[in-house]
Amino acid sequence: MDKIRIGSVGLGRLGLEHAKNIATRIPGAELVALCDIDTEKLHRVGKELGVRHYCTTFEEMLAIKGLDAVAIVSPSALHCTQIAQALERGKHVFCEKPLGTSLEECRLAEKAVEAHPDAVFMLGFMRRFDESYRYAKEKIDAGEIGRPVLFRSYSQDPISCIDGAIAFAPHSGGEFYDMSSHDIDLARWMLSSEPVSVYAVGGCYAYPEFAQYEDGDNVSCLMKFKNDAMAFLFAGRTAPHGYNVETEIIGTKATLRIASVPQKNLVEILDRYGVRKECSENFQERFAQAYLHEMEAFVDCIRSKRKPSVSVYDGTAVSVIAGKCTESFRSGKLIAI
């Protein structure tokens, strides 16, 4: 089979990561088109990656002859409409999380996927492709930790990225959609269950700019799942030490911890500050291999004509839960799911 010809929309931090992976690191794939409204960035990145087609609208990219698939890394509110448009034009679709920022948007995407059963649709929950998380999932499924009791997950962005978070706030859907989607997906995946209730709290502790969007800069929630397991999630935008994602799963027989001490690598620095380890600076660095593995899986699904392990329904479930977390955060009430 010839190379899978892919066009990618959105050249933000993650869009750039996906574009580079498709163009330079994935055998069997070819990045033939880029789409972004920033024409200066579009042509600069396109020239760097050797892309033939430069588009400023999604519709223009879909019209390119011979395009097999698209990677959607655009603002969250555009995802579901672009998914439907791409599938209707006969393209395979990879889309970044969240699937949508409302149930109505997610249903639109579901109907589009169902109407095109021969097309490959994959949602970008990249932590499922991280080697440490996959290893932990195997341990849980094998019964090695006994019955899961508590899932705890922290996602903290470095304060150095706060300007980008504020700029993205008007169309992010809120911190539970923007940051906690990955944690929600991991909880469902690792606990093999669905939540039945959620109570969320938080606020604008350092940046009141988020308040105008009924959002916070640090939020948390407690969930109860159908199998009686508990989950505690925390999302923060003001970590002074760097990018920090850590997860713990407590079972009746054992506990699993993933990156409980965030670190850039295995190097220890001994200097006038003492003995210390550096943290990853951003999500691209921490999950570089996971982003590569998930795009490899997408391309392999197209070539082998199989369905990905992450479905559109996973995306809907996570978005619904994120919405309930947001509702609880704004109302201060316990919300049933």
Side-chain angles (χ1 to χ4, degrees):
M1 179 185 288
D2 294 334
K3 287 187 175 182
I4 304 300
R5 292 158 295 195
I6 303 175
S8 187
V9 56
L11 285 174
R13 292 181 297 167
L14 185 49
L16 186 58
E17 182 84 4
H18 282 310
K20 288 180 177 178
N21 282 340
I22 296 167
T24 65
R25 302 186 66 189
I26 300 178
E30 180 184 5
L31 183 67
V32 299
L34 285 174
C35 178
D36 199 275
I37 59 174
D38 185 335
T39 55
E40 187 280 325
K41 180 186 289 186
L42 176 65
H43 286 268
R44 173 170 48 82
V45 175
K47 183 177 180 180
E48 176 188 339
L49 299 180
V51 172
R52 297 197 301 273
H53 301 279
Y54 303 80
C55 308
T56 55
T57 69
F58 190 61
E59 293 76 12
E60 181 186 358
M61 189 173 76
L62 290 179
I64 295 172
K65 186 177 180 180
L67 190 70
D68 299 310
V70 296
I72 297 173
V73 206
S74 53
S76 303
L78 300 177
H79 287 181
C80 293
T81 299
Q82 291 180 339
I83 289 167
Q85 290 176 322
L87 289 170
E88 287 167 6
R89 295 296 295 269
K91 314 303 179 188
H92 303 288
V93 177
F94 173 90
C95 182
E96 261 306 321
K97 65 81 191 168
L99 177 64
T101 55
S102 71
L103 179 58
E104 291 73 23
E105 290 178 7
C106 294
R107 293 299 189 217
L108 172 66
E110 285 184 355
K111 289 179 180 179
V113 171
E114 291 164 356
H116 300 86
D118 294 333
V120 170
F121 173 80
M122 179 173 170
L123 197 62
F125 286 131
M126 87 295 182
R127 292 188 196 174
R128 295 195 189 199
F129 295 87
D130 177 80
E131 292 180 0
S132 295
Y133 283 105
R134 294 174 82 163
Y135 184 72
K137 172 64 171 171
E138 291 172 2
K139 293 283 189 185
I140 296 169
D141 289 347
E144 295 187 27
I145 72 166
R147 181 181 178 182
V149 173
L150 173 69
F151 173 93
R152 176 184 63 84
S153 190
Y154 293 174
S155 290
Q156 298 184 77
D157 278 349
I159 198 167
S160 60
C161 296
I162 194 65
D163 289 341
I166 293 172
F168 187 56
H171 50 265
S172 71
E175 197 164 4
F176 287 106
Y177 283 103
D178 183 29
M179 292 188 65
S180 296
S181 291
H182 289 298
D183 306 281
I184 294 169
D185 179 63
L186 280 180
R188 296 177 59 248
W189 185 50
M190 289 188 160
L191 297 175
S192 298
S193 186
E194 300 291 340
V196 295
S197 63
V198 58
Y199 179 65
V201 294
C204 298
Y205 298 93
Y207 292 88
E209 294 92 330
F210 292 103
Q212 62 184 306
Y213 309 110
E214 296 185 278
D215 198 6
D217 54 28
N218 286 270
V219 298
S220 66
C221 68
L222 180 65
M223 297 180 185
K224 181 178 181 179
F225 278 69
K226 288 181 181 179
N227 62 2
D228 285 334
M230 300 171 284
F232 176 76
L233 313 179
F234 170 72
R237 289 171 164 147
T238 59
H241 53 283
Y243 183 70
N244 181 182
V245 170
E246 59 178 287
T247 304
E248 180 179 53
I249 307 98
I250 298 174
T252 54
K253 295 181 180 178
T255 294
L256 301 174
R257 289 179 178 169
I258 305 164
S260 59
V261 178
Q263 57 192 61
K264 187 183 188 76
N265 49 43
L266 298 179
V267 175
E268 291 184 337
I269 300 173
L270 287 71
D271 58 16
R272 62 191 179 91
Y273 298 106
V275 181
R276 58 191 175 89
K277 296 181 179 180
E278 294 180 326
C279 292
S280 297
E281 296 179 11
N282 49 54
F283 61 84
Q284 302 101 305
E285 182 179 62
R286 166 63 180 86
F287 290 107
Q289 289 302 308
Y291 285 121
L292 177 62
H293 292 330
E294 72 172 357
M295 195 59 70
E296 288 174 336
F298 173 63
V299 171
D300 183 66
C301 284
I302 296 173
R303 297 178 69 86
S304 61
K305 297 182 179 180
R306 63 180 178 85
K307 296 297 183 182
S309 59
V310 186
S311 73
V312 67
Y313 306 108
D314 289 311
T316 297
V318 169
S319 289
V320 167
I321 296 164
K324 294 298 184 182
C325 291
T326 303
E327 181 183 349
S328 177
F329 167 70
R330 291 172 177 173
S331 68
K333 298 178 180 179
L334 175 71
I335 302 295
I337 301 177

